[in-house]
Amino acid sequence: GDSVTQMEGPVTLSEEAFLTINCTYTATGYPSLFWYVQYPGEGLQLLLKATKADDKGSNKGFEATYRKETTSFHLEKGSVQVSDSAVYFCALWYNNNDMRFGAGTRLTVKP
Amino acid sequence: GAVVSQHPSRVICKSGTSVKIECRSLDFQATTMFWYRQFPKQSLMLMATSNEGSKATYEQGVEKDKFLINHASLTLSTLTVTSAHPEDSSFYICSAIGQGALNYGYTFGSGTRLTVV
């Protein structure tokens, strides 16, 4: 079945370091892909999305490109801040309303 | 953008009592709402999917008599944890989709921390 695999955390970085969180997917069709962020004690917030191959989603300095050839949607940020500390979820979604989430990757950024 | 309001954000209840959690779509009509449970440092576990005006569809292993879901209108779904026990303590999150959802995917509520003592 369709699924999402994220790199295991936790990830600990120093402020201003480069961030990559890997996400790959398995799907029979052409899903939309999302990254959600969850800050401590809160629900999930949409960070960015891409709805078709080669689309690049970007927001708040984060970006991810929908790579059909490698079935990937890796999250990147050039310079992380302490405020980026959170759990990040990769997800895929079809119009049949069935969103599949990765296990989540906890990021801690130290000053 | 789409906004989903979830209340309460925190609740503490005694073992054996029932707790109701509300999930409202504030600026769109939510044709489908989802309820998730999240254990500490883990991903979201889908509990059930509810469509307005029909019975919720529960995931395997979720007790429908314990977790009562009602989706009586296009803007409100409720989750009632009946006869709560300490093992029901968890973080519960709702999400909703409606028209234009492709642009947003799911819109999530802010979650409810339930503690059963």
Side-chain angles (χ1 to χ4, degrees), chain B residues 47-117:
Chain B
M47 299 174 66
T49 302
S50 72
N51 294 296
E52 184 264 340
S54 60
K55 289 185 178 180
T57 301
Y58 290 81
E59 296 298 301
Q60 195 170 11
V62 178
E63 299 177 59
K64 60 181 66 176
D65 293 332
K66 178 162 199 56
F67 299 100
L68 300 179
I69 291 171
N70 183 280
H71 190 167
S73 76
L74 283 171
T75 59
L76 174 65
S77 177
T78 60
L79 166 66
T80 302
V81 183
T82 63
S83 187
H85 291 283
E87 57 266 30
D88 298 325
S89 298
S90 192
F91 193 60
Y92 293 87
I93 307 175
C94 70
S95 68
I97 59 172
Q99 283 190 341
L102 183 60
N103 291 324
Y104 303 104
Y106 289 13
T107 301
F108 286 85
S110 54
T112 298
R113 170 74 58 195
L114 170 63
T115 303
V116 184
V117 297

Side-chain angles (χ1 to χ4, degrees), chain A residues 33-45:
Chain A
L33 301 174
F34 301 82
W35 277 100
Y36 285 89
V37 58
Q38 184 180 32
Y39 298 102
E42 298 183 14
L44 275 67
Q45 300 175 26

